[in-house]
């Protein structure tokens, strides 16, 4: 069964450093997302991406965050200058169609620890 | 705005009993309501969803009910088993057929513990 894959599974970084989280969505999917989950809390929407551009972003997704689809398969999340409060599990997700018509598939997550 | 309240935050049941989790939402445009199960350290996985054109949907031991007038929906798990122990999240998404604005807003989660 096809699935969303993410790397790295865990990254430890120093405050102020740049971090890039990588994702390979399911191959025939058209919509891509990043969500995050601070330990013990709910899943929070960061950004959605369709047709090579951001379609929606939350207030969490400030100027320190950016997304890119550099080729036909990868979808990356960059945090330019990490803060302690960026420590969380970051989930990439994809869907074939609009969510109300199809399922949102999550990757296994990338745990980011900012020291 | 979009806000989803989920109760209870924790739920402990005896194996074989039923578990019920309730969510309320504020966005009257919401028309799609999925439920996700997240085991410890794992990704959230869809277990059931419901759209506004139906009031109830069932899949084996899991059922979801929706009351659009009252803006709440519930997950019902019958004959609970130890493997049902996990965190369950409700979510909502307005049903709008457009390319932009395609996200889910999640509730705070319910930690379910099924005691053998």
């Amino acid at each position: 069964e096809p699935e969303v894959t993410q790397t790295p599974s865990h990254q430890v970084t120093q405050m102020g450093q740049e971090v890039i989280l990588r994702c390979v969505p399911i191959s025939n999917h058209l919509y891509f997302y990043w969500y995050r989950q601070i330990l013990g809390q709910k899943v929070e929407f960061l950004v959605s991406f369709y047709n090579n551009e951001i379609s929606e972003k939350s207030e969490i997704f400030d100027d320190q965050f950016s997304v890119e689809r550099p080729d036909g398969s990868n979808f990356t999340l960059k945090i330019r200058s990490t803060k302690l409060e960026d420590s969380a599990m970051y989930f990439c997700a994809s869907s074939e169609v609009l969510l109300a018509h199809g399922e949102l598939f999550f990757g296994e997550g990338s745990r980011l620890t900012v020291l | 705005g979009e806000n989803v309240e989920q109760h209870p935050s924790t739920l402990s049941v005896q194996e074989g009993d039923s578990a019920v989790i309730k969510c309320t939402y504020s966005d009257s445009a919401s028309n799609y309501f999925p439920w996700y199960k997240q085991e410890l350290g794992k990704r959230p996985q869809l277990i059931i969803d419901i759209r506004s054109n139906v009031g109830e949907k069932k899949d084996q031991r899991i059922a979801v009910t929706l009351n659009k007038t009252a803006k709440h929906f519930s997950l019902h798990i019958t004959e609970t088993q130890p493997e049902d122990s996990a965190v369950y999240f409700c979510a909502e998404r307005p049903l709008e057929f457009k390319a932009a604005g395609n996200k889910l807003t999640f509730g705070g989660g319910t930690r379910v513990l099924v005691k053998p």
Side-chain angles (χ1 to χ4, degrees):
Chain A
E1 185 177 332
E3 57 180 31
V4 178
T5 57
Q6 290 184 240
T7 53
S9 56
H10 189 193
Q11 180 153 358
V12 182
T13 190
Q14 294 290 327
M15 190 169 55
Q17 294 296 303
E18 175 183 284
V19 161
I20 297 176
L21 305 178
R22 293 182 168 79
C23 170
V24 179
I26 295 173
S27 62
N28 63 331
H29 285 191
L30 300 177
Y31 299 84
F32 315 117
Y33 317 80
W34 283 99
Y35 286 78
R36 80 170 186 190
Q37 186 177 32
I38 295 171
L39 188 64
Q41 297 186 23
K42 67 178 178 181
V43 179
E44 299 176 291
F45 170 77
L46 293 179
V47 65
S48 60
F49 192 88
Y50 170 76
N51 200 27
N52 288 318
E53 61 183 17
I54 290 174
S55 50
E56 189 169 2
K57 59 184 180 180
S58 71
E59 60 271 16
I60 301 169
F61 195 88
D62 61 21
D63 292 344
Q64 294 299 315
F65 290 86
S66 62
V67 290
E68 194 177 34
R69 187 157 163 83
D71 52 43
S73 60
N74 291 285
F75 179 52
T76 63
L77 174 69
K78 181 191 290 186
I79 309 174
R80 195 182 328 155
S81 177
T82 50
K83 304 187 284 288
L84 295 176
E85 54 265 38
D86 293 328
S87 295
M89 180 73 90
Y90 288 81
F91 289 105
C92 176
S94 69
S95 64
E96 185 176 5
V97 294
L98 287 169
L99 286 178
H101 301 278
E103 182 178 343
L104 182 68
F105 291 86
F106 285 92
E108 290 282 5
S110 294
R111 181 168 297 283
L112 176 65
T113 302
V114 182
L115 303 176
Chain B
E2 300 148 353
N3 189 39
V4 182
E5 297 289 332
Q6 184 171 346
H7 298 282
S9 57
T10 59
L11 181 59
S12 182
V13 297
Q14 206 65 41
E15 182 178 359
D17 289 350
S18 294
V20 180
I21 305 169
K22 298 180 179 179
C23 286
T24 59
Y25 61 97
S26 57
D27 189 345
S28 57
S30 297
N31 268 348
Y32 173 61
F33 308 92
W35 285 89
Y36 284 81
K37 176 182 180 182
Q38 186 179 31
E39 297 177 353
L40 189 62
K42 298 293 181 84
R43 75 185 90 188
Q45 292 193 292
L46 180 72
I47 55 171
I48 196 167
D49 57 17
I50 192 167
R51 292 172 176 81
S52 65
N53 56 341
V54 296
E56 183 174 359
K57 184 177 177 181
K58 191 172 182 180
D59 183 3
Q60 299 182 340
R61 296 187 297 108
I62 294 172
V64 57
T65 59
L66 171 65
N67 183 328
K68 281 219 73 179
T69 303
K71 294 186 196 170
H72 66 72
F73 57 112
S74 300
L75 178 72
H76 305 251
I77 307 173
T78 58
E79 300 171 32
T80 53
Q81 300 166 4
E83 52 264 39
D84 294 329
S85 296
V87 179
Y88 291 81
F89 291 97
C90 63
E92 55 102 11
R93 163 70 184 113
L95 180 61
E96 299 176 55
F97 193 72
K98 62 178 183 179
N102 194 31
K103 69 178 186 184
L104 292 180
T105 300
F106 285 82
T110 298
R111 184 173 300 279
V112 174
L113 175 63
V114 180
K115 294 180 287 187

